[in-house]
Amino acid sequence: MSACKTLTCFPLSSSSSFFRRTFILPHQRLTLTRKCSTSALTAEESELQYPTVQHLLTSPDGVSTLMKMDRKPLLPHHSHVPRWFPYIDAFRCQNGTVLTSAEVVEVLAPCISEDRWRRFGSVVRNRSYSVCLVVEGLCDFGNVSAAFRSADALGVQSVHVVSCDTNKRYKDNRHVSMGAEKWLDIELWDSTKECFKMLKSRGYRIATTHVGMDAVSIHDLDWSHPTAIVVGNENRGISDEALELSDLHCSIPMAGMVDSFNVSVAAGILMHHAVCNRISRMGRHGDLTVEECQILLAEFSLRHSKSSISIVEDYATRKAATFT
């Protein structure tokens, strides 16, 4: 049974667009009254407030503006990391106030519908960083979008994109990704070497998809070990550099006349098999601790809509005022 089953969600009231709560602070009681404009947003409206896959992957600040809670250094301080989790329990506000995930959740809970809140809790309990996806040099952003959607659906929280060729064709593929990019942790890399070095420092083994004599069937791998699954370019496949730097090559058994899947389909099959294998071996895929679940829940709450940040910033201003 997952340790995250004990995660407690705050009671919600969806019948009012206003809320009044009392927060206990050292030697103070801070009462906050605010109109929650986000409570009127549907899930679809909330998704439309966020940038498209195109903006995330082609704008310098695209991905950096997506992730909200403070993050650990890219390269861990310790040489051995048993299981990687990227966030620390802190949200740094513009006025310098640092809020914990519990405070963020407490402030934003009344502004999120009860159905949405239950969905957040279910998704977080089934999330894992123990399997991550790496897409290397893809030209068609439709394939990237489809891979994002599969990752989100299967509970794979971390996705890495290496050297996407932004000069190639692009069309708005939000209808392909269904907004999945909003809920993932996406990291962009200029080189395969740089990406693989970071992943190995975080404790991942690198598994590149490759059709060759040395390739291991995905059915023969133990996916309970932290693994980065790498899929390659639509035409050229995995680069020679990636093949050389990876820890192992794996393949999907084929029974037809063709010897490969579409890259986004292959990514979906690999992640699905990894998740099923982990459930078979460990009883579950989601492996976050209670504390990590709480932090990721706060992260999702902050990403829910653009108004979430202003609501939390307002609370931080009021909190700081009680000490002046």
Side-chain angles (χ1 to χ4, degrees):
M1 179 180 294
S2 171
C4 298
K5 294 294 185 182
T6 61
L7 181 67
T8 301
C9 290
F10 293 95
L12 302 178
S13 174
S14 57
S15 60
S16 174
S17 61
F18 290 83
F19 72 86
R20 181 178 181 85
R21 286 200 179 237
T22 301
F23 299 92
I24 310 283
L25 299 174
H27 312 298
Q28 299 281 348
R29 292 181 69 86
L30 173 62
T31 300
L32 173 63
T33 303
R34 181 175 182 93
K35 182 176 181 179
C36 286
S37 59
T38 54
S39 63
L41 290 176
T42 65
E44 291 76 13
E45 290 169 335
S46 176
E47 306 295 349
L48 290 174
Q49 292 187 0
Y50 273 77
T52 63
V53 175
Q54 178 187 25
H55 176 73
L56 288 174
L57 300 186
T58 60
S59 173
D61 64 345
V63 171
S64 63
T65 58
L66 183 64
M67 291 172 274
K68 312 300 183 185
M69 298 291 287
D70 283 6
R71 292 171 63 83
K72 297 175 183 176
L74 287 180
L75 289 173
H77 295 303
H78 305 290
S79 58
H80 176 66
V81 180
R83 189 179 57 79
W84 172 254
F85 182 75
Y87 296 103
I88 60 176
D89 192 6
F91 175 72
R92 201 168 304 276
C93 300
Q94 291 181 355
N95 67 354
T97 300
V98 177
L99 304 180
T100 65
S101 58
E103 288 179 288
V104 171
V105 168
E106 177 76 12
V107 171
L108 292 178
C111 305
I112 301 173
S113 72
E114 191 170 353
D115 287 344
R116 190 69 158 175
W117 196 252
R118 279 197 296 264
R119 183 68 173 269
F120 280 173
S122 174
V123 169
V124 164
R125 286 193 296 271
N126 287 287
R127 281 302 209 237
S128 176
Y129 289 86
S130 295
V131 174
C132 70
L133 176 68
V134 180
V135 292
E136 184 198 33
L138 297 189
C139 296
D140 188 335
F141 280 80
N143 283 329
V144 179
S145 298
F148 284 177
R149 183 174 178 178
S150 295
D152 173 68
L154 293 167
V156 175
Q157 181 64 23
S158 178
V159 177
H160 302 261
V161 180
V162 181
S163 301
C164 268
D165 189 344
T166 57
N167 294 318
K168 297 293 184 179
R169 64 186 184 278
Y170 175 81
K171 59 181 179 179
D172 187 347
N173 286 290
R174 180 167 289 278
H175 68 286
V176 177
S177 68
M178 295 297 288
E181 65 280 357
K182 175 179 173 179
W183 307 109
L184 299 173
D185 292 357
I186 303 168
E187 295 183 60
L188 307 182
W189 303 94
D190 293 326
S191 72
T192 299
K193 183 178 181 179
E194 180 186 20
C195 177
F196 283 16
K197 177 182 178 181
M198 182 281 306
L199 287 170
K200 290 183 179 183
S201 76
R202 295 179 182 178
Y204 290 96
R205 66 178 178 182
I206 312 295
T208 50
T209 52
H210 179 61
V211 179
M213 295 298 294
D214 62 341
V216 180
S217 169
I218 60 172
H219 301 299
D220 296 330
L221 291 176
D222 178 359
W223 294 95
S224 62
H225 189 289
T227 304
I229 300 170
V230 186
V231 295
N233 180 273
E234 295 89 346
N235 300 315
R236 301 184 301 273
I238 297 285
S239 69
D240 292 338
E241 181 183 29
L243 291 173
E244 182 179 350
L245 294 174
S246 62
D247 297 304
L248 62 93
H249 304 158
C250 65
S251 64
I252 304 171
M254 305 288 292
M257 295 297 293
V258 297
D259 60 2
S260 65
F261 288 100
N262 168 275
V263 64
S264 63
V265 173
I269 292 173
L270 286 160
M271 288 186 288
H272 182 267
H273 179 77
V275 170
C276 290
N277 183 270
R278 286 170 55 78
I279 294 173
S280 175
R281 291 176 181 273
M282 304 164 55
R284 66 188 186 278
H285 168 61
D287 58 1
L288 303 185
T289 66
V290 173
E291 180 184 9
E292 290 167 348
C293 281
Q294 177 86 349
I295 295 171
L296 191 58
L297 189 62
E299 177 71 19
F300 278 17
S301 301
L302 289 165
R303 296 188 193 187
H304 176 65
S305 75
K306 290 185 177 179
S307 299
S308 297
I309 299 297
S310 62
I311 292 170
V312 172
E313 290 285 356
D314 181 69
Y315 166 74
T317 300
R318 294 168 184 267
K319 179 180 178 180
T322 63
F323 296 100
T324 60

